[in-house]
Coordinates of all heavy atoms in Angstrom, one line a residue:
M13 N -11.8 -13.1 -3.5 CA -12.9 -12.3 -2.9 C -13.5 -11.5 -4.0 O -12.7 -10.8 -4.7 CB -12.3 -11.5 -1.7 CG -13.3 -10.8 -0.9 SD -12.6 -9.9 0.5 CE -12.6 -11.3 1.7
K14 N -14.8 -11.4 -4.0 CA -15.5 -10.6 -4.9 C -15.4 -9.1 -4.5 O -15.4 -8.7 -3.3 CB -17.0 -11.0 -5.0 CG -17.1 -12.4 -5.5 CD -18.6 -12.8 -5.5 CE -18.8 -14.2 -5.9 NZ -20.2 -14.6 -5.8
P15 N -15.4 -8.2 -5.5 CA -15.2 -6.7 -5.2 C -16.3 -6.2 -4.3 O -16.0 -5.4 -3.4 CB -15.3 -6.0 -6.6 CG -14.9 -7.1 -7.5 CD -15.3 -8.4 -7.0
E16 N -17.5 -6.7 -4.3 CA -18.6 -6.3 -3.5 C -18.5 -6.7 -2.1 O -19.1 -6.2 -1.2 CB -20.0 -6.6 -4.0 CG -20.2 -8.1 -4.2 CD -19.8 -8.7 -5.5 OE1 -19.2 -8.0 -6.4 OE2 -20.1 -9.8 -5.7
E17 N -17.6 -7.8 -1.8 CA -17.3 -8.3 -0.5 C -16.2 -7.6 0.1 O -15.9 -7.8 1.4 CB -17.0 -9.8 -0.6 CG -18.2 -10.6 -1.1 CD -17.8 -12.1 -1.3 OE1 -16.6 -12.4 -1.3 OE2 -18.7 -12.9 -1.4
I18 N -15.4 -6.7 -0.5 CA -14.3 -6.1 0.1 C -14.7 -4.8 0.8 O -15.5 -4.0 0.4 CB -13.3 -5.7 -0.9 CG1 -12.7 -6.9 -1.6 CG2 -12.1 -4.9 -0.4 CD1 -11.8 -6.7 -2.8
E19 N -14.2 -4.7 2.1 CA -14.7 -3.5 2.9 C -13.8 -2.3 2.4 O -12.8 -2.5 1.8 CB -14.3 -3.8 4.4 CG -15.2 -4.9 5.0 CD -14.8 -5.1 6.4 OE1 -14.5 -4.0 7.1 OE2 -14.8 -6.1 6.9
N20 N -14.4 -1.2 2.7 CA -13.7 0.1 2.3 C -12.8 0.5 3.4 O -13.0 0.2 4.6 CB -14.7 1.2 2.0 CG -15.4 0.9 0.7 OD1 -14.8 0.2 -0.2 ND2 -16.6 1.3 0.7
N21 N -11.8 1.3 3.1 CA -10.8 1.9 4.1 C -10.0 0.9 4.7 O -9.9 0.9 6.0 CB -11.6 2.9 5.0 CG -12.3 4.0 4.4 OD1 -11.7 4.6 3.5 ND2 -13.5 4.3 4.8
V22 N -9.5 -0.1 4.0 CA -8.8 -1.2 4.5 C -7.4 -1.3 3.8 O -7.4 -1.0 2.6 CB -9.5 -2.6 4.3 CG1 -8.7 -3.7 4.7 CG2 -10.9 -2.5 5.0
I23 N -6.4 -1.7 4.5 CA -5.1 -1.9 3.8 C -4.9 -3.4 3.6 O -5.0 -4.1 4.6 CB -3.9 -1.4 4.7 CG1 -4.0 0.1 4.8 CG2 -2.6 -1.8 4.1 CD1 -3.0 0.7 5.8
H24 N -4.8 -3.9 2.4 CA -4.8 -5.3 2.1 C -3.3 -5.7 1.9 O -2.6 -5.1 1.0 CB -5.5 -5.7 0.8 CG -7.0 -5.3 1.0 ND1 -7.9 -6.2 1.5 CD2 -7.7 -4.2 0.7 CE1 -9.1 -5.6 1.5 NE2 -9.0 -4.4 0.9
L25 N -2.8 -6.6 2.7 CA -1.4 -7.2 2.5 C -1.5 -8.6 2.0 O -2.2 -9.4 2.6 CB -0.6 -7.1 3.9 CG -0.7 -5.8 4.5 CD1 0.0 -5.9 5.9 CD2 0.1 -4.7 3.8
S26 N -0.8 -8.9 0.9 CA -0.8 -10.3 0.4 C 0.4 -10.6 -0.3 O 1.1 -9.8 -0.9 CB -2.0 -10.4 -0.5 OG -1.9 -9.6 -1.6
P27 N 0.6 -11.9 -0.4 CA 1.8 -12.5 -1.1 C 1.3 -12.5 -2.6 O 0.2 -12.5 -2.9 CB 1.9 -13.9 -0.6 CG 0.6 -14.3 -0.1 CD -0.1 -13.0 0.3
G28 N 2.3 -12.5 -3.5 CA 2.0 -12.5 -4.9 C 3.1 -13.3 -5.7 O 4.1 -13.6 -5.2
N29 N 2.9 -13.4 -7.0 CA 3.8 -14.1 -7.9 C 4.8 -13.0 -8.4 O 4.8 -12.7 -9.5 CB 3.1 -14.8 -9.0 CG 4.0 -15.7 -9.8 OD1 5.0 -16.1 -9.3 ND2 3.6 -16.0 -11.1
L30 N 5.7 -12.6 -7.5 CA 6.6 -11.5 -7.7 C 8.0 -12.1 -7.4 O 8.2 -13.0 -6.6 CB 6.3 -10.2 -7.1 CG 5.0 -9.7 -7.2 CD1 4.7 -8.5 -6.2 CD2 4.8 -9.1 -8.6
E31 N 9.1 -11.3 -7.7 CA 10.5 -11.6 -7.2 C 10.5 -11.5 -5.7 O 9.6 -10.7 -5.2 CB 11.5 -10.7 -7.9 CG 11.7 -11.0 -9.4 CD 12.2 -12.3 -9.7 OE1 13.0 -12.9 -9.0 OE2 11.7 -12.9 -10.7
E32 N 11.4 -12.0 -5.0 CA 11.3 -12.1 -3.6 C 11.2 -10.7 -2.9 O 10.4 -10.7 -2.0 CB 12.7 -12.7 -3.1 CG 12.6 -12.9 -1.6 CD 13.8 -13.7 -1.0 OE1 14.5 -14.5 -1.9 OE2 14.2 -13.7 0.1
E33 N 12.0 -9.7 -3.2 CA 11.8 -8.5 -2.6 C 11.1 -7.4 -3.4 O 11.0 -6.2 -3.0 CB 13.3 -7.9 -2.3 CG 13.9 -8.8 -1.2 CD 15.3 -8.3 -0.9 OE1 15.7 -7.2 -1.3 OE2 16.0 -8.9 0.0
E34 N 10.4 -7.8 -4.4 CA 9.6 -6.8 -5.3 C 8.3 -6.7 -4.6 O 7.7 -7.6 -3.9 CB 9.4 -7.6 -6.6 CG 8.7 -6.7 -7.7 CD 8.6 -7.4 -9.0 OE1 8.8 -8.6 -9.1 OE2 8.2 -6.7 -10.0
Y35 N 7.7 -5.6 -4.8 CA 6.3 -5.3 -4.4 C 5.6 -4.4 -5.3 O 6.1 -3.7 -6.1 CB 6.4 -4.7 -2.9 CG 6.9 -3.3 -3.0 CD1 6.1 -2.2 -3.0 CD2 8.2 -3.1 -2.7 CE1 6.7 -0.9 -3.1 CE2 8.8 -1.7 -2.7 CZ 8.0 -0.7 -2.9 OH 8.5 0.6 -3.0
H36 N 4.3 -4.4 -5.1 CA 3.3 -3.5 -5.9 C 2.6 -2.9 -4.8 O 1.9 -3.5 -4.0 CB 2.4 -4.3 -6.8 CG 3.1 -5.0 -8.0 ND1 2.4 -5.8 -8.9 CD2 4.5 -5.0 -8.3 CE1 3.3 -6.2 -9.8 NE2 4.6 -5.7 -9.5
L37 N 2.4 -1.6 -4.9 CA 1.7 -0.8 -3.9 C 0.6 0.0 -4.8 O 1.0 0.6 -5.8 CB 2.5 0.2 -3.2 CG 1.8 1.4 -2.4 CD1 0.9 0.9 -1.3 CD2 2.9 2.3 -1.8
E38 N -0.7 -0.1 -4.4 CA -1.8 0.6 -5.2 C -2.7 1.2 -4.2 O -3.3 0.6 -3.3 CB -2.5 -0.4 -6.1 CG -3.4 0.4 -6.9 CD -4.1 -0.5 -8.0 OE1 -3.8 -1.7 -8.1 OE2 -5.0 0.0 -8.7
V39 N -2.6 2.6 -4.2 CA -3.6 3.3 -3.4 C -4.8 3.7 -4.2 O -4.6 4.4 -5.3 CB -2.9 4.7 -2.9 CG1 -3.9 5.4 -2.0 CG2 -1.7 4.3 -2.1
R40 N -6.0 3.2 -3.9 CA -7.2 3.5 -4.6 C -8.0 4.5 -3.8 O -7.7 4.8 -2.7 CB -7.9 2.2 -5.0 CG -7.2 1.3 -5.9 CD -8.0 0.1 -6.2 NE -7.3 -0.9 -7.0 CZ -7.8 -2.2 -7.2 NH1 -9.0 -2.5 -6.8 NH2 -7.1 -2.9 -7.9
E41 N -9.1 4.8 -4.3 CA -10.1 5.6 -3.6 C -10.5 5.1 -2.3 O -10.6 5.9 -1.3 CB -11.4 5.9 -4.5 CG -12.2 7.0 -3.9 CD -13.4 7.3 -4.9 OE1 -13.4 6.9 -6.0 OE2 -14.3 8.0 -4.3
Q42 N -10.8 3.9 -2.1 CA -11.3 3.4 -0.8 C -10.4 2.4 -0.1 O -10.7 2.1 1.1 CB -12.7 2.7 -1.0 CG -13.7 3.6 -1.6 CD -14.2 4.7 -0.6 OE1 -14.2 4.5 0.6 NE2 -14.4 5.9 -1.0
N43 N -9.4 1.8 -0.8 CA -8.6 0.8 -0.2 C -7.1 1.0 -0.7 O -6.8 1.6 -1.6 CB -9.1 -0.6 -0.6 CG -10.4 -0.9 0.0 OD1 -10.5 -1.0 1.2 ND2 -11.4 -1.1 -0.8
I44 N -6.2 0.3 0.1 CA -4.8 0.3 -0.3 C -4.4 -1.2 -0.4 O -4.7 -2.0 0.4 CB -3.9 0.9 0.8 CG1 -4.3 2.4 0.8 CG2 -2.5 0.8 0.5 CD1 -3.7 3.2 2.0
Y45 N -3.7 -1.5 -1.5 CA -3.3 -2.9 -1.7 C -1.7 -3.0 -1.8 O -1.1 -2.3 -2.6 CB -3.9 -3.5 -3.1 CG -5.3 -3.5 -3.1 CD1 -6.1 -2.3 -3.4 CD2 -6.1 -4.6 -2.7 CE1 -7.5 -2.3 -3.5 CE2 -7.4 -4.5 -2.6 CZ -8.2 -3.5 -3.0 OH -9.5 -3.4 -3.0
I46 N -1.1 -3.9 -1.0 CA 0.3 -4.1 -1.1 C 0.5 -5.6 -1.3 O 0.1 -6.5 -0.5 CB 1.0 -3.7 0.2 CG1 0.8 -2.2 0.4 CG2 2.5 -4.1 0.2 CD1 1.4 -1.7 1.8
T47 N 1.2 -6.0 -2.4 CA 1.4 -7.3 -2.8 C 3.0 -7.4 -2.8 O 3.6 -6.7 -3.5 CB 0.8 -7.7 -4.1 OG1 -0.6 -7.4 -4.0 CG2 1.0 -9.1 -4.4
G48 N 3.5 -8.4 -2.3 CA 4.9 -8.6 -2.2 C 5.3 -10.1 -2.6 O 4.5 -11.0 -2.5
G49 N 6.5 -10.2 -3.2 CA 7.0 -11.5 -3.6 C 7.4 -12.4 -2.3 O 7.5 -13.6 -2.4
S50 N 7.6 -11.7 -1.2 CA 7.9 -12.4 0.1 C 7.5 -11.5 1.2 O 7.0 -10.3 0.9 CB 9.4 -12.6 0.1 OG 10.1 -11.4 0.2
C51 N 7.8 -11.8 2.4 CA 7.5 -11.0 3.6 C 8.3 -9.6 3.5 O 7.8 -8.6 3.8 CB 7.8 -11.7 4.9 SG 6.7 -13.0 5.2
A52 N 9.5 -9.7 3.0 CA 10.4 -8.7 2.8 C 9.7 -7.7 1.7 O 9.8 -6.5 2.0 CB 11.8 -9.1 2.4
G53 N 9.2 -8.3 0.7 CA 8.5 -7.4 -0.3 C 7.4 -6.6 0.2 O 7.2 -5.4 0.0
V54 N 6.6 -7.3 1.1 CA 5.4 -6.6 1.7 C 5.9 -5.6 2.6 O 5.4 -4.4 2.7 CB 4.5 -7.7 2.4 CG1 3.5 -7.0 3.3 CG2 3.9 -8.6 1.5
F55 N 7.0 -5.9 3.4 CA 7.6 -4.8 4.3 C 8.1 -3.6 3.5 O 7.8 -2.5 3.9 CB 8.8 -5.5 5.0 CG 9.5 -4.4 5.8 CD1 9.1 -4.1 7.1 CD2 10.8 -4.0 5.4 CE1 9.9 -3.2 7.8 CE2 11.5 -3.1 6.1 CZ 11.0 -2.6 7.3
Y56 N 8.7 -3.8 2.4 CA 9.1 -2.6 1.7 C 8.0 -1.8 1.1 O 8.0 -0.6 1.0 CB 10.1 -3.0 0.5 CG 11.4 -3.6 1.0 CD1 11.9 -4.8 0.5 CD2 12.2 -3.1 2.1 CE1 13.1 -5.4 1.0 CE2 13.3 -3.5 2.5 CZ 13.8 -4.7 2.0 OH 14.9 -5.3 2.5
G57 N 6.9 -2.5 0.7 CA 5.7 -1.9 0.3 C 5.1 -1.0 1.4 O 4.7 0.1 1.1
I58 N 5.1 -1.5 2.6 CA 4.6 -0.8 3.7 C 5.5 0.5 4.0 O 4.9 1.5 4.3 CB 4.6 -1.6 5.0 CG1 3.5 -2.8 4.8 CG2 4.3 -0.8 6.3 CD1 3.5 -3.8 5.9
Q59 N 6.7 0.4 3.9 CA 7.7 1.5 4.0 C 7.4 2.5 2.9 O 7.4 3.8 3.3 CB 9.1 1.1 3.9 CG 9.5 0.1 5.0 CD 9.1 0.5 6.4 OE1 9.4 1.5 6.9 NE2 8.3 -0.4 7.1
S60 N 7.1 2.2 1.7 CA 6.8 3.2 0.7 C 5.4 3.8 1.0 O 5.3 5.0 0.8 CB 6.7 2.5 -0.7 OG 7.9 2.0 -1.1
L61 N 4.5 3.0 1.5 CA 3.3 3.6 2.0 C 3.4 4.7 3.0 O 2.9 5.8 3.1 CB 2.3 2.5 2.4 CG 0.9 3.0 3.0 CD1 0.1 3.9 1.9 CD2 0.1 1.9 3.6
R62 N 4.2 4.3 4.0 CA 4.6 5.3 5.1 C 5.2 6.6 4.6 O 4.8 7.7 5.1 CB 5.6 4.7 6.1 CG 4.9 3.6 6.9 CD 5.9 3.0 7.9 NE 6.3 4.1 8.9 CZ 7.5 4.2 9.4 NH1 8.5 3.4 9.1 NH2 7.7 5.2 10.3
A63 N 6.0 6.5 3.5 CA 6.5 7.8 2.9 C 5.5 8.6 2.3 O 5.7 9.8 2.1 CB 7.6 7.3 1.9
L64 N 4.4 8.0 1.9 CA 3.3 8.8 1.2 C 2.4 9.5 2.3 O 1.5 10.4 1.9 CB 2.4 7.8 0.4 CG 3.1 7.2 -0.8 CD1 2.1 6.2 -1.5 CD2 3.6 8.3 -1.8
I65 N 2.5 9.2 3.5 CA 1.6 9.7 4.5 C 2.2 11.2 4.9 O 3.3 11.3 5.1 CB 1.6 8.8 5.8 CG1 0.9 7.5 5.5 CG2 0.8 9.5 7.0 CD1 1.1 6.4 6.6
P66 N 1.2 12.1 4.8 CA 1.7 13.5 5.1 C 2.1 13.6 6.5 O 1.6 13.1 7.4 CB 0.4 14.4 4.8 CG -0.7 13.4 4.6 CD -0.2 12.1 4.5
V67 N 3.1 14.6 6.8 CA 3.6 14.8 8.1 C 2.5 15.3 9.0 O 2.5 14.9 10.2 CB 4.7 15.9 8.0 CG1 5.2 16.3 9.4 CG2 5.8 15.5 7.2
T68 N 1.5 16.0 8.5 CA 0.4 16.4 9.4 C -0.4 15.3 10.0 O -1.0 15.5 11.0 CB -0.6 17.3 8.7 OG1 -1.1 16.7 7.5 CG2 0.1 18.6 8.2
A69 N -0.3 14.0 9.4 CA -1.0 12.9 10.0 C -0.4 12.4 11.4 O -1.2 11.9 12.1 CB -0.9 11.8 9.0
Y70 N 0.8 12.9 11.7 CA 1.4 12.5 12.9 C 1.1 13.4 14.0 O 1.6 13.3 15.2 CB 2.9 12.3 12.7 CG 3.2 11.2 11.7 CD1 3.6 11.5 10.4 CD2 3.2 9.9 12.1 CE1 3.8 10.4 9.5 CE2 3.4 8.9 11.2 CZ 3.7 9.1 9.9 OH 4.0 8.1 9.0
Q71 N 0.4 14.5 13.7 CA 0.0 15.4 14.8 C -1.4 14.9 15.4 O -2.1 14.3 14.7 CB -0.2 16.8 14.1 CG 1.1 17.4 13.6 CD 0.9 18.6 12.8 OE1 -0.2 19.1 12.5 NE2 2.0 19.3 12.4
A72 N -1.6 15.4 16.6 CA -2.8 15.0 17.3 C -4.0 15.8 16.9 O -4.4 16.8 17.4 CB -2.6 15.1 18.8
T73 N -4.6 15.4 15.7 CA -5.8 16.1 15.3 C -6.8 15.0 14.9 O -6.5 13.8 14.7 CB -5.5 16.9 14.0 OG1 -5.1 16.1 12.9 CG2 -4.5 17.9 14.3
N74 N -8.0 15.4 14.6 CA -9.1 14.4 14.2 C -9.3 14.6 12.7 O -10.3 14.1 12.2 CB -10.4 14.6 15.0 CG -10.2 14.2 16.4 OD1 -9.4 13.3 16.7 ND2 -10.9 14.9 17.3
E75 N -8.4 15.2 11.9 CA -8.6 15.3 10.5 C -8.3 14.0 9.8 O -7.4 13.2 10.2 CB -7.5 16.4 10.0 CG -7.8 17.8 10.6 CD -9.1 18.4 10.2 OE1 -9.5 18.2 9.0 OE2 -9.8 19.0 11.0
P76 N -9.0 13.8 8.7 CA -8.8 12.5 8.0 C -7.4 12.6 7.3 O -6.9 13.7 6.9 CB -9.9 12.5 6.9 CG -10.4 13.9 6.8 CD -10.1 14.6 8.2
I77 N -6.8 11.4 7.0 CA -5.6 11.3 6.4 C -5.9 11.1 4.9 O -6.5 10.1 4.6 CB -4.7 10.2 7.0 CG1 -4.4 10.5 8.4 CG2 -3.4 10.1 6.1 CD1 -3.7 9.3 9.1
L78 N -5.3 11.9 4.0 CA -5.6 11.8 2.6 C -4.4 11.4 1.9 O -3.4 12.2 2.1 CB -6.3 13.0 2.0 CG -7.6 13.5 2.6 CD1 -8.0 14.8 2.0 CD2 -8.6 12.4 2.4
I79 N -4.3 10.3 1.1 CA -3.2 9.9 0.3 C -3.7 9.9 -1.1 O -4.6 9.2 -1.5 CB -2.6 8.5 0.8 CG1 -2.4 8.6 2.3 CG2 -1.5 8.1 -0.1 CD1 -1.9 7.2 2.9
Q80 N -2.9 10.5 -2.0 CA -3.3 10.5 -3.3 C -3.2 9.1 -4.0 O -2.4 8.4 -3.7 CB -2.3 11.5 -4.1 CG -2.7 11.7 -5.6 CD -1.9 12.8 -6.3 OE1 -1.1 13.4 -5.6 NE2 -2.1 13.1 -7.4
Q81 N -4.2 8.9 -4.9 CA -4.2 7.6 -5.5 C -2.9 7.5 -6.4 O -2.5 8.4 -7.0 CB -5.4 7.4 -6.5 CG -6.7 7.4 -5.7 CD -7.9 7.2 -6.6 OE1 -7.9 6.3 -7.5 NE2 -9.0 7.9 -6.3
T82 N -2.3 6.3 -6.3 CA -1.1 6.1 -7.0 C -0.8 4.5 -7.1 O -1.4 3.7 -6.5 CB 0.0 6.7 -6.3 OG1 1.3 6.7 -7.1 CG2 0.4 6.0 -5.0
K83 N 0.1 4.2 -8.0 CA 0.6 2.8 -8.2 C 2.1 2.8 -8.1 O 2.8 3.8 -8.7 CB 0.2 2.2 -9.5 CG -1.2 1.8 -9.6 CD -1.4 1.1 -10.9 CE -2.9 0.7 -11.1 NZ -3.1 0.0 -12.4
V84 N 2.8 2.0 -7.4 CA 4.2 1.9 -7.2 C 4.6 0.4 -7.5 O 4.1 -0.5 -6.9 CB 4.7 2.3 -5.8 CG1 6.2 2.1 -5.8 CG2 4.3 3.7 -5.5
L85 N 5.4 0.2 -8.4 CA 5.9 -1.1 -8.7 C 7.5 -1.0 -8.5 O 8.1 -0.2 -9.2 CB 5.6 -1.5 -10.2 CG 4.2 -1.3 -10.7 CD1 4.0 -1.5 -12.2 CD2 3.3 -2.2 -9.9
D86 N 8.0 -1.8 -7.6 CA 9.4 -1.6 -7.2 C 9.9 -2.9 -6.8 O 9.2 -3.9 -6.4 CB 9.5 -0.5 -6.1 CG 11.0 0.0 -5.9 OD1 11.8 -0.3 -6.9 OD2 11.2 0.6 -4.8
G87 N 11.3 -3.0 -7.0 CA 12.0 -4.1 -6.6 C 13.5 -3.9 -6.7 O 13.9 -2.8 -7.3
P88 N 14.3 -4.8 -6.2 CA 15.8 -4.6 -6.3 C 16.3 -4.6 -7.8 O 15.8 -5.3 -8.6 CB 16.4 -5.8 -5.6 CG 15.2 -6.7 -5.2 CD 14.0 -6.0 -5.6
R89 N 17.2 -3.7 -8.1 CA 17.8 -3.7 -9.5 C 18.7 -4.8 -9.6 O 18.7 -5.3 -10.8 CB 18.5 -2.4 -9.6 CG 19.2 -2.2 -11.0 CD 19.9 -0.9 -11.1 NE 18.9 0.1 -11.5 CZ 19.2 1.4 -11.8 NH1 20.4 1.8 -11.7 NH2 18.4 2.2 -12.2
F90 N 19.5 -5.2 -8.6 CA 20.5 -6.3 -8.9 C 20.2 -7.4 -8.0 O 19.7 -7.4 -7.0 CB 21.9 -5.8 -8.5 CG 22.3 -4.5 -9.4 CD1 22.3 -3.3 -8.8 CD2 22.6 -4.7 -10.7 CE1 22.7 -2.2 -9.5 CE2 23.0 -3.7 -11.4 CZ 23.0 -2.4 -10.9

């Protein structure tokens, strides 16, 4: 997909050429990308994203949720 065809404010989940439980999480200005070596890797990436969401996001407000831009590259050590 070409960059100009990608919508903004979207979480992209995709398989990648990674080890089975490894994942890459990238929070950019307009989109979030999670690539995993398997479904388990994508799941772990989602869990890391959840940890980045501020507690105030779970309160009943109409405020936007802001997550700082970051990159996380993680996988099992053994």
Side-chain angles (χ1 to χ4, degrees):
M13 188 174 277
K14 297 177 184 176
E16 62 271 7
E17 295 174 346
I18 297 175
E19 294 182 38
N20 290 329
N21 300 317
V22 176
I23 299 173
H24 300 273
L25 306 175
S26 63
N29 190 19
L30 305 169
E31 295 295 323
E32 186 172 336
E33 294 182 0
E34 184 179 15
Y35 67 90
H36 294 178
L37 164 64
E38 186 172 358
V39 178
R40 296 186 187 169
E41 186 175 348
Q42 296 295 326
N43 293 296
I44 297 172
Y45 299 89
I46 299 174
T47 304
S50 66
C51 293
V54 172
F55 172 79
Y56 295 134
I58 293 169
Q59 299 311 306
S60 291
L61 175 62
R62 289 182 63 213
L64 296 174
I65 297 173
V67 175
T68 56
Y70 297 102
Q71 298 170 352
T73 65
N74 290 329
E75 298 296 318
I77 299 170
L78 301 176
I79 301 173
Q80 187 172 359
Q81 293 185 44
T82 190
K83 285 186 182 181
V84 177
L85 311 173
D86 196 14
R89 178 180 275 184
F90 302 104

